[in-house]
Amino acid sequence: MFQNLYPDEDADSAYEIDYQSYYDKGYRGILFDVDNTLVEHDQPVTLVAIALFQQLNEMGFKTCIISNNKDERVKPLADALESDYVYKAGKPSARGYNQGMEQMGTTPATTLFVGDQIFTDIWGANRANIHSILVKQIARHEEIQIVLKRFLEKIVLKGYYRKKESLID
């Protein structure tokens, strides 16, 4: 019923994904959400994020931050991470994802997306036909509209985990 909202896979954190395995499979670009995916909401870039992006760059990945936030929020993070970026991306529209792929010079077949929200991040990546990875949110404190979405996400995730479990059996 909610399959267009299901991620292709999930992980505990953007920092625990085996990116080398994706590079070995032919992926060359990664689109990342920012808030609660790479850093806490409204917080500056961290040394852990910088180290991850340096590692991805050394592997040969192109990266792009894709956010519904304003330029003044996204640009400093992207600059610190030496990454392309798209602000006011309009997620879950595919427009921002396509713009990010254009900047990286990748296609849906060679691009991954990593984000923490079903109704914006994952749905948008799925609409753009990009392999989507849902990660757990970094921090629990969020704006009220996101808290309300998290409640609805639990319903979707229940179906996703049921489907995932049936594939394992």
Side-chain angles (χ1 to χ4, degrees):
M1 179 172 166
F2 296 115
Q3 309 216 335
N4 59 335
L5 299 173
Y6 292 172
D8 291 306
E9 57 187 293
D10 60 287
D12 283 340
S13 166
Y15 300 101
E16 296 180 16
I17 296 170
D18 179 4
Y19 293 103
Q20 184 64 53
S21 70
Y22 290 102
Y23 192 86
D24 294 345
K25 292 175 187 173
Y27 290 95
R28 295 298 180 260
I30 308 173
L31 297 170
F32 284 96
D33 174 53
V34 168
D35 287 321
N36 260 343
T37 297
L38 292 173
V39 298
E40 287 189 35
H41 188 76
D42 284 335
Q43 294 300 305
V45 73
T46 62
L47 293 176
V48 175
I50 292 170
L52 172 63
F53 276 66
Q54 287 173 341
Q55 178 186 23
L56 294 172
N57 185 270
E58 288 168 11
M59 277 185 215
F61 276 111
K62 301 278 188 183
T63 60
C64 184
I65 304 300
I66 177 173
S67 176
N68 285 346
N69 248 311
K70 296 176 184 171
D71 190 49
E72 12 339 322
R73 167 69 177 145
V74 185
K75 184 180 182 350
L77 293 164
D79 287 349
L81 297 171
E82 298 181 15
S83 179
D84 289 330
Y85 71 99
V86 176
Y87 69 96
K88 290 190 177 179
K91 296 184 287 182
S93 165
R95 176 188 56 81
Y97 297 83
N98 291 329
Q99 188 178 343
M101 285 187 288
E102 187 177 312
Q103 288 180 24
M104 294 187 301
T106 60
T107 67
T110 61
T111 304
L112 296 173
F113 175 79
V114 179
D116 71 299
Q117 290 188 54
I118 295 276
F119 295 111
T120 51
D121 297 334
I122 300 304
W123 189 20
N126 291 346
R127 292 173 83 185
N129 295 311
I130 298 169
H131 187 88
S132 59
I133 303 174
L134 177 69
V135 295
K136 293 178 181 167
Q137 70 204 63
I138 292 175
R140 292 283 179 216
H141 59 280
E142 297 178 299
E143 296 174 355
I144 187 65
Q145 71 272 17
I146 296 173
V147 171
L148 295 173
K149 282 195 278 185
R150 295 281 187 206
F151 177 76
L152 296 173
E153 283 182 356
K154 288 180 183 177
I155 297 166
V156 175
L157 287 172
K158 189 180 277 189
Y160 165 72
Y161 289 123
R162 208 174 307 125
K163 178 185 173 192
K164 182 178 171 182
E165 191 174 292
S166 72
L167 295 174
I168 295 171
D169 292 340

